[in-house]
């Protein structure tokens, strides 16, 4: 049983070393927007609750192993035949049932929260950005502003953003961890991801789903800025960038990696998004006017 | 001619693959030479290849599983080595993609599956007091189909290229447009052939358990492993046809330009994801339930007590089997099906934790008032409980669909499923292997090396997989062949690599243990060396061809028939020895499987004449079988008696 103590100690020691290894906050637990905040809160709740369960199981296990090991007992001890006990079995079914009911309530609430316009931003008109992936790039189209970017996206802080996701190839997953969890982008339909940034700042985003050879570098930069800065940037793009043409866009779609680039106009004009919209139950209804 | 051979070339060759090629060629030549030199071909054909004996078929599954464990293990070490440092150039992207794809397929389908099938084969007939399975020849066919599927899959990396779109093979990535080598053809066809074998196993064992139990063995007197085998095989029979259909559709997309899963002409890529996981989620319970069965046998044996809450154990498995079909959507919570659908599947997924928790607590309470002996199998089980609990609770975390948006496709997920499958399935298989080794081979594995192995493995496991939870929460997506130093993932990935190295040592220790014990362990062990409880230990060691000279009668016994006979003196073997009817060996199943292999290989490369040849061969074998007269043979009572006397002199328990 010395072994067990040693294991426990080394386990605690190891956890300490591992946690010390990451000085900064883990990305997912360092949210910068309401959706990511909700997911981080859920995660912390789960870590606490689940940690409690693991500790309970380990404690019972250690108790049993200490108390009932053969070396502690007389040679002629015969363990009894025990079928079970109604109270014990009720408790060991009942407590998990209660935990699962509690988590189900949290889970359902969170689902509706992350699938809707971010909390606190309901009264604002969301900015619609089409984010489409091609091997292995991200194209961001701003129909409202009439501009398009590759591999980076600027968004106004303090305003809800509605990302319309689809793909020009394999299934990809659009993910900006500090603003909120991911969603798939597929070639035959458009999915919607609601995000918002509480403050100006810079984040990273990536395709999290395996989509072939270039997956690892299928990344993009995200910058949240004040509304004023955002408007200035839009004006600047209109003054300096070239328009996107069908020819140019076809070139961009070629498999490979590209740096960042900026265009006026959007590819949606000559290469529209898949018409099949995957409705998020009731939530999508309100925003259908944006298409 | 040149074009013909060009199609078999590897699309992305590297030095590593050439080394592997050379070692396969020399290995095969060496093997053939050894078998020929010792004149073993006849022995192999008569005693193994054509056998219908469930024990020998089981051992063939075991050997396949162990070989594949090392094949998949080498893949795993390569993956961790590649990620150990940022910007590593050990593997390039394409090679990395092929390695993680084959690692997943090999470990799930060609390592874990044959491992549990080995236990089905070896244990179920013994535990229910039967002479063999219900359909012995089908059992042989099932093994060879599985084996040919495994072989076909494994030659992919030296002939034509390995599949490269992940073990989930999501379309459209796995379609011709984005996956241009024949790798995914191999995936589709090899899994199809092996899957047919698995489906046959499922039917065979359901029939065996329902029809061939010893007199007096009611369903609720079956040993826990047999219960788990029954449930797992029921899941197989319900789930594998879905895989069969999905693979057939995928094969047609790739070979005949149909558009089931393409992005054009009305194909639906989500359909593949749905079909794959309708099979794929139950598949994990096909693996884990028999593992639970093994742990139940091991824990009750070495706690020296009956299993606590036998009935709730059984019911929890039944509930799990039903729920396993109602949770597949959690594999694509992020596919945009909306809050309502996600909520339903979030709740059903979390609900699975309830019956699983019941099992954990039942094992804990089996220790209560016991007399715990820490043998190697027990040590595996005792490490399993905390490690598996950790994997289980992180599963609950992933089941919270809104939060899953942050864990999906990250290393957190990778950590979770390895945390379930390694302490769950792999530990159970190794515990069971150590536990039943003396029954199979007549000597014990060394306990000192065995226990050290468990500790090394657990330390390696914790170091290899716990860091992945952290890098996952830090934003490391899975299946990335490299990352930049700026991400800050490098330290923890190095820790993982060290852990993988330590785990490798533990697997080498298993080989060493087998070798060491083969050389040094005493051979005069009794047939019940662990002082065990189930009917399987009431046989002689080595187990005679016919298992039991007299069919056991367990009318007066509990679910632990052998224990009752030892402690309460219940009579297991009543009546006298009679003639035993046995099935004949058959080579037809093997020949037919070879034709399956030929046809499969031909389909991979769209060589239609060869494919037709293979298909005709398969049909000819079926025709031969349906016209064959085969009534088996009898072992006469006096032969059995002589045999039993010999065993009794060797000190076999009865």
């Amino acid at each position: 049983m010395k072994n067990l103590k040693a294991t426990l100690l080394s386990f605690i020691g190891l956890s300490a070393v591992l946690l010390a290894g990451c000085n900064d906050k883990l990305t997912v637990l360092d949210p910068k927007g309401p959706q990511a905040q909700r997911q981080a809160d859920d995660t912390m709740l789960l870590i606490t609750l689940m940690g409690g369960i693991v500790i309970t199981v380990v404690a019972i296990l250690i108790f049993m192993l200490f108390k009932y090991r053969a070396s502690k007992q007389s040679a002629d001890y015969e363990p009894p035949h025990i079928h079970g006990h109604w109270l014990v079995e009720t408790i060991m079914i009942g407590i998990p049932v209660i935990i699962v009911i509690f988590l189900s309530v949290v889970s359902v609430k969170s689902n509706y929260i992350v699938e809707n316009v971010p909390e606190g931003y309901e009264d604002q008109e969301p900015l619609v950005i089409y984010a489409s992936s091609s091997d292995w790039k991200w194209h961001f189209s701003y129909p409202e502003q009439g501009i398009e970017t590759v591999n980076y996206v600027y968004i106004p802080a303090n305003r809800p953003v509605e990302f319309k996701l689809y793909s020009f190839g394999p299934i990809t997953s659009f993910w900006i961890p500090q603003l909120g969890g991911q969603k798939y982008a597929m070639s035959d339909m458009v999915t919607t991801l609601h995000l918002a940034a509480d403050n100006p700042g810079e984040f990273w985003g990536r395709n999290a789903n395996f989509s072939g050879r270039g997956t690892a570098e299928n990344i993009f930069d995200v910058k949240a800025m004040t509304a004023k800065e955002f408007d200035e940037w839009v004006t600047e793009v209109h003054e300096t960038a070239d328009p996107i043409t069908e020819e140019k866009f076809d070139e961009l779609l070629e498999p490979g990696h590209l740096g960042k680039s900026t265009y006026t106009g959007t590819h949606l004009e000559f290469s529209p998004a898949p018409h099949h919209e995957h409705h998020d139950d009731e939530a999508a209804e309100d925003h259908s006017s944006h298409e | 001619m040149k074009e013909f051979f060009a199609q078999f070339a590897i699309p992305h060759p590297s030095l590593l693959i050439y080394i592997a090629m050379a070692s396969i060629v020399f290995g095969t030549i060496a093997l053939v030479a050894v078998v020929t030199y010792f004149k073993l071909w006849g022995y192999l054909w008569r005693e193994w290849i054509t056998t219908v004996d469930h024990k020998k078929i089981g051992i063939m599954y075991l050997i396949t599983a162990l070989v594949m464990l090392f094949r998949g293990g080498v893949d795993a070490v390569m993956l961790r080595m590649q990620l150990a440092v940022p910007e590593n150039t050990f593997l390039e992207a394409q090679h990395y993609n092929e390695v993680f794809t084959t690692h997943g397929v090999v470990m799930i389908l060609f390592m874990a599956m044959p491992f549990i099938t080995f236990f089905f084969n070896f244990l179920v007939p013994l535990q229910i007091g039967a002479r063999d399975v219900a359909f012995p020849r089908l059992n042989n066919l099932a093994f060879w189909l599985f084996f040919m599927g495994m072989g076909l899959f494994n030659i992919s990396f030296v002939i034509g290229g390995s599949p490269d779109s992940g073990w989930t093979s999501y379309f459209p990535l796995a379609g011709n447009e984005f996956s241009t080598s024949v790798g995914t053809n191999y995936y589709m066809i090899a899994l199809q052939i092996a899957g047919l074998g698995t489906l046959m196993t499922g039917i065979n064992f359901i029939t065996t358990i329902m029809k061939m139990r010893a007199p007096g063995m009611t369903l609720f007197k079956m040993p826990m492993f047999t219960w788990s085998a029954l449930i797992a095989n029921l899941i197989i029979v319900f789930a594998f046809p879905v895989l069969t259909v999905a693979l057939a559709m995928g094969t047609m997309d790739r070979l005949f330009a149909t558009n089931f899963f393409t992005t054009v002409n009305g194909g639906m890529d989500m359909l593949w994801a749905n079909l794959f996981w309708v099979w794929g989620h139950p598949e994990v319970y096909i693996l884990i339930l028999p593992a639970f069965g093994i742990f139940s046998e091991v824990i009750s044996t070495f706690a020296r007590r009956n299993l606590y809450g036998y009935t709730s154990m059984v019911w929890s498995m039944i509930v799990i089997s039903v729920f396993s079909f109602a949770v597949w959507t959690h594999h694509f919570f992020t596919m945009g099906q909306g809050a309502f659908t996600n909520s339903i599947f979030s709740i059903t997924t979390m609900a699975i934790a309830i019956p699983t928790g019941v099992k954990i607590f039942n094992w804990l309470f089996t220790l209560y008032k016991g007399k715990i002996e820490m043998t190697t199998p027990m040590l595996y089980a005792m490490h399993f409980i905390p490690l598996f609990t950790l994997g289980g609770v992180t599963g609950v975390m992933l089941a919270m669909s809104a939060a899953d948006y942050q864990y999906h496709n990250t290393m957190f997920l990778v950590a979770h499923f390895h945390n379930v499958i390694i302490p769950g399935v792999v530990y159970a298989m190794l515990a069971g292997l150590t536990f039943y080794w003396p029954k199979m081979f007549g000597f014990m594995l060394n306990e000192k090396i065995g226990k050290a192995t468990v500790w090394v493995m657990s330390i390696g496991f914790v170091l290899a997989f716990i860091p992945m939870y952290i890098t996952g929460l830090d934003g490391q997506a899975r299946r990335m062949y490299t990352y930049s130093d700026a991400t800050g993932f490098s330290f923890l990935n190095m820790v993982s690599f060290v852990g993988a190295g330590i785990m490798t040592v533990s697997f080498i220790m298993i080989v060493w243990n087998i070798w060491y014990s083969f050389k040094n362990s005493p051979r005069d062990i009794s047939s019940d060396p662990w002082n065990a409880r189930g009917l399987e230990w009431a046989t002689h060691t080595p187990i005679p061809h016919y298992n039991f000279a007299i069919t056991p009668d367990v009318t007066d016994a509990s679910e632990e028939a052998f224990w009752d006979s030892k402690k309460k003196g219940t009579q297991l073997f009543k009546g006298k020895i009679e003639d035993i009817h046995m099935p004949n060996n058959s080579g037809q199943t093997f020949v037919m499987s070879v034709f399956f292999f030929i046809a499969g290989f031909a389909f991979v490369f769209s060589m239609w004449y060869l494919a037709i040849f293979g298909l005709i061969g398969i049909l000819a074998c079926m025709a031969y079988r349906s016209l064959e007269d085969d009534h088996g043979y009898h072992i006469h009572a006096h032969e059995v008696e002589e045999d039993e006397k010999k065993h009794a002199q060797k000190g076999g328990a009865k």
Side-chain angles (χ1 to χ4, degrees):
Chain A
M1 292 311 101
K2 258 191 312 191
N3 280 341
L4 262 173
K5 258 190 212 158
T7 324
L8 264 187
L9 282 176
S10 52
F11 202 87
I12 294 163
L14 178 75
S15 320
V17 171
L18 291 179
L19 288 172
C22 25
N23 302 320
D24 309 315
K25 268 188 165 178
L26 299 174
T27 312
V28 167
L29 299 177
D30 185 21
K32 300 293 185 200
Q35 311 293 52
Q37 185 66 53
R38 177 73 189 191
Q39 287 157 337
D41 291 347
D42 281 3
T43 304
M44 286 317 295
L45 169 78
L46 282 162
I47 289 176
T48 318
L49 201 58
M50 298 295 115
I53 293 172
V54 174
I55 289 169
T56 311
V57 167
V58 172
I60 298 175
L61 178 66
I62 290 174
F63 171 78
M64 296 291 183
L65 289 180
F66 266 98
K67 184 108 195 264
Y68 300 111
R69 62 185 193 271
S71 58
K72 230 184 124 188
Q73 290 158 344
S74 62
D76 58 349
Y77 172 66
E78 277 284 337
H81 188 93
I82 308 170
H83 268 297
H85 190 277
W86 67 270
L87 185 63
V88 177
E89 293 190 53
T90 311
I91 292 170
M92 78 192 186
I93 298 171
I95 291 177
V97 167
I98 291 168
I99 294 173
V100 167
I101 290 173
F102 168 69
L103 287 179
S104 297
V105 173
V106 177
S107 180
V108 173
K109 274 190 180 169
S110 299
N111 279 331
Y112 282 90
I113 288 170
V114 299
E115 286 291 343
N116 275 304
V117 180
E119 276 180 332
Y121 293 91
E122 292 89 347
D123 51 341
Q124 286 192 57
E125 178 80 347
L127 171 68
V128 176
I129 302 174
Y130 280 78
S132 49
S133 63
S134 66
D135 281 349
W136 293 278
K137 303 161 289 287
W138 286 96
H139 310 267
F140 297 95
S141 312
Y142 299 69
E144 199 184 317
Q145 283 74 18
I147 56 178
E148 175 148 329
T149 62
V150 176
N151 287 341
Y152 78 97
V153 59
Y154 285 176
I155 55 169
N158 286 310
R159 183 178 168 188
V161 183
E162 199 176 305
F163 283 103
K164 297 278 185 191
L165 311 170
Y166 67 101
S167 160
F168 284 95
I171 300 171
T172 51
S173 191
F174 180 87
W175 188 29
I176 310 170
Q178 287 188 290
L179 297 186
Q182 58 196 289
K183 195 169 270 186
Y184 280 171
M186 289 166 286
S187 62
D188 44 3
M189 65 172 172
V190 172
T191 48
T192 307
L193 185 62
H194 300 274
L195 298 177
D198 285 332
N199 290 297
E202 290 184 37
F203 321 108
W204 59 264
R206 66 165 303 112
N207 159 30
N209 188 47
F210 177 61
S211 67
R213 218 170 304 169
T215 312
E217 293 98 355
N218 200 355
I219 49 181
F220 57 93
D221 289 330
V222 187
K223 195 169 174 185
M225 41 181 60
T226 61
K228 191 163 153 270
E229 280 173 323
F230 182 75
D231 290 338
E232 281 168 14
W233 172 69
V234 171
T235 320
E236 193 196 316
V237 170
H238 275 288
E239 281 164 5
T240 55
D242 294 330
I244 186 138
T245 59
E246 202 161 352
E247 242 170 66
K248 179 71 199 167
F249 188 63
D250 286 344
E251 224 173 274
L252 293 176
L253 286 183
E254 292 288 312
H257 297 292
L258 291 173
K260 299 169 187 174
S261 54
T262 317
Y263 307 90
T264 57
T266 70
H267 73 260
L268 299 169
E269 290 147 24
F270 48 81
S271 170
H275 50 84
H276 176 69
E277 172 109 14
H278 204 283
H279 279 280
D280 298 351
D281 305 327
E282 70 281 26
E285 293 282 306
D286 309 333
H287 306 298
S288 48
S289 56
H290 296 302
E291 263 113 316
Chain B
M1 199 65 185
K2 210 175 161 193
E3 275 165 34
F4 178 77
F5 284 109
Q7 65 179 330
F8 301 124
I10 306 287
H12 309 281
S14 73
L15 184 63
L16 278 172
I17 292 180
Y18 288 130
I19 294 171
M21 254 186 211
S23 56
I24 289 173
V25 171
F26 289 120
T28 313
I29 292 172
L31 198 67
V32 170
V34 168
V35 173
T36 311
Y37 181 80
F38 289 103
K39 299 196 173 66
L40 291 173
W41 289 111
Y43 166 77
L44 278 180
W45 178 261
R46 281 189 310 274
E47 297 292 322
W48 294 93
I49 293 172
T50 61
T51 188
V52 289
D53 182 346
H54 68 97
K55 299 179 287 294
K56 285 185 175 168
I57 292 174
I59 288 170
M60 292 196 288
Y61 273 112
L62 172 65
I63 293 167
T64 317
L66 289 175
V67 171
M68 285 298 109
L69 178 67
F70 284 89
R71 198 271 199 218
V74 171
D75 282 347
V77 172
M78 284 163 73
L79 297 175
R80 290 326 309 175
M81 195 184 284
Q82 167 65 18
L83 291 182
V85 292
E87 316 279 4
N88 199 355
T89 52
F90 166 62
L91 299 176
E92 56 100 31
Q94 175 65 24
H95 197 178
Y96 184 84
N97 298 344
E98 291 175 11
V99 173
F100 74 65
T101 301
T102 51
H103 169 71
V105 177
V106 163
M107 285 303 205
I108 299 279
L109 286 154
F110 300 124
M111 185 282 283
M113 283 303 277
F115 223 137
I116 62 156
T117 317
F118 148 64
F119 284 111
F120 294 161
N121 267 288
F122 192 80
L123 281 184
V124 166
L126 299 179
Q127 284 203 329
I128 62 174
R131 293 237 155 80
D132 205 331
V133 294
F135 311 113
R137 196 197 280 210
L138 188 74
N139 202 17
N140 177 292
L141 177 63
F143 171 75
W144 284 114
L145 284 179
F146 159 78
F147 186 87
M148 293 301 165
M150 187 266 323
L152 189 62
F153 187 84
N154 274 284
I155 62 169
S156 69
F157 88 113
V158 285
I159 305 175
S162 290
D164 57 359
S165 32
W167 89 279
T168 52
S169 214
Y170 272 15
F171 281 83
L173 182 65
N176 285 326
E177 192 186 350
F178 301 104
S179 184
T180 47
S181 80
V182 293
T184 306
N185 296 355
Y186 271 114
Y187 174 98
M188 297 285 159
I189 293 161
L191 263 56
Q192 186 72 278
I193 295 173
L196 288 176
T198 306
L199 190 55
M200 289 174 190
T201 300
I203 294 166
N204 206 345
F205 280 90
I206 292 172
T207 318
T208 305
I209 296 170
M210 294 315 287
K211 287 296 198 188
M212 297 180 67
R213 297 192 307 276
M217 186 177 283
T218 57
L219 281 177
F220 276 82
K221 262 194 206 176
M222 294 198 306
M224 195 49 67
F225 177 77
T226 298
W227 254 115
S228 71
L230 175 63
I231 309 262
N233 282 295
L234 280 166
I235 302 178
I236 285 177
V237 169
F238 279 95
F240 267 76
V242 184
L243 179 70
T244 305
V245 170
L247 290 172
M249 288 159 86
T251 309
M252 285 195 267
D253 266 14
R254 288 192 60 90
L255 296 183
F256 308 121
T258 54
N259 291 294
F260 290 111
F261 308 127
T262 56
T263 57
V264 290
N265 296 333
M268 287 197 289
D269 46 3
M270 304 95 78
L271 182 61
W272 169 267
N274 274 285
L275 290 175
F276 183 85
W277 287 115
V278 165
W279 161 77
H281 197 85
E283 164 69 16
V284 302
Y285 292 95
I286 295 170
L287 300 178
I288 200 74
L289 290 179
F292 287 171
I294 295 281
F295 281 130
S296 298
E297 302 290 343
V298 166
I299 291 173
S300 65
T301 300
F302 297 109
R304 303 287 171 220
R305 243 208 58 196
N306 67 316
L307 197 62
Y308 186 89
Y310 173 93
T311 320
S312 60
M313 278 300 221
V314 171
W315 280 106
S316 66
M317 283 197 292
I318 294 171
V319 171
I320 289 174
S321 74
V322 174
F323 273 30
S324 72
F325 284 93
V327 300
W328 79 92
T329 302
H330 71 224
H331 293 273
F332 39 90
F333 273 150
T334 65
M335 213 174 241
Q337 57 257 49
F340 181 74
T341 311
N342 277 0
S343 296
I344 301 279
F345 283 93
S346 174
I347 294 169
T348 54
T349 305
M350 283 192 278
I352 283 202
I354 299 167
T356 314
V358 167
K359 301 188 85 71
I360 298 270
F361 285 107
N362 274 327
W363 288 315
L364 287 174
F365 290 121
T366 301
L367 303 175
Y368 178 66
K369 291 198 175 170
K371 195 174 185 183
I372 301 163
E373 271 172 64
M374 206 51 85
T375 57
T376 305
M378 188 63 164
L379 196 59
Y380 275 114
M382 292 301 106
H383 282 219
F384 148 80
I385 289 178
L387 290 176
F388 182 82
T389 307
L390 185 63
V393 296
T394 55
V396 174
M397 291 178 74
L398 284 153
M400 293 279 284
S401 42
D404 174 69
Y405 282 26
Q406 292 282 25
Y407 321 137
H408 204 83
N409 276 321
T410 67
M411 294 310 280
F412 189 92
L413 166 81
V414 177
H416 156 70
F417 72 71
H418 284 89
N419 204 167
V420 177
I421 286 188
I422 293 176
V425 182
V426 178
Y427 276 35
M429 298 301 110
L430 295 174
L433 183 68
T434 318
F435 189 48
Y436 289 108
W437 189 272
K439 196 87 256 179
M440 282 186 287
F441 300 110
F443 62 92
M444 308 274 282
L445 291 175
N446 184 286
E447 279 286 286
K448 261 195 184 145
I449 304 174
K451 284 184 200 164
T453 306
V454 188
W455 281 104
V456 173
M457 194 178 293
S458 291
I459 291 165
F461 173 82
V462 167
L463 284 175
F465 292 100
I466 304 301
M468 292 184 197
Y469 285 118
I470 299 167
T471 58
L473 290 178
D474 204 17
Q476 188 182 359
R478 66 169 171 164
R479 295 172 169 178
M480 300 196 309
Y481 83 103
T482 191
Y483 54 89
S484 78
D485 200 21
T487 55
F489 302 150
S490 53
F491 171 71
L492 290 172
N493 276 290
M494 180 52 91
V495 175
S496 269
F497 173 58
V498 172
I502 295 174
M503 285 189 84
T504 310
V505 172
S506 69
F507 286 106
I508 294 169
M509 286 167 76
I510 292 173
V511 180
W512 176 47
N513 193 351
I514 292 173
W515 178 249
Y516 180 88
S517 309
F518 174 72
K519 287 269 172 201
N520 298 313
S521 283
R523 294 301 193 272
D524 57 340
I525 54 164
S526 81
S527 65
D528 177 27
W530 300 110
N531 190 14
R533 312 172 81 85
L535 208 47
E536 68 271 30
W537 298 97
T539 53
H540 298 296
T541 300
I543 308 169
H545 182 39
Y546 46 79
N547 294 351
F548 299 94
I550 302 167
T551 301
D553 184 328
V554 298
T555 318
D556 310 324
S558 69
E559 71 272 10
E560 296 177 320
F562 184 52
W563 187 252
D564 290 348
S565 79
K566 284 194 286 189
K567 291 291 155 176
K568 297 184 202 152
T570 16
Q571 200 60 28
L572 282 182
F573 301 101
K574 300 165 188 165
K576 62 177 180 54
I577 292 172
E578 288 165 18
D579 287 3
I580 297 174
H581 180 253
M582 299 296 287
N584 279 325
N585 285 2
S586 166
Q588 171 256 349
T589 46
F590 177 75
V591 174
M592 187 158 116
S593 305
V594 170
F595 279 116
F596 262 99
F597 182 89
I598 293 169
F601 184 81
F603 271 110
V604 169
F605 288 95
S606 306
M607 298 188 288
W608 305 121
Y609 289 116
L610 188 60
I612 290 166
F613 169 74
L615 292 176
I616 290 174
I618 294 168
L619 287 174
C621 288
M622 288 180 182
Y624 171 80
R625 171 59 179 150
S626 56
L627 299 172
E628 190 185 7
D629 254 342
D630 180 5
H631 302 294
Y633 67 99
H634 281 92
I635 309 175
H636 295 291
H638 64 91
E639 291 171 290
V640 178
E641 269 161 19
E642 270 168 38
D643 221 38
E644 289 292 298
K645 250 182 235 155
K646 257 190 279 167
H647 280 294
Q649 279 163 6
K650 278 166 75 183
K654 198 53 192 293

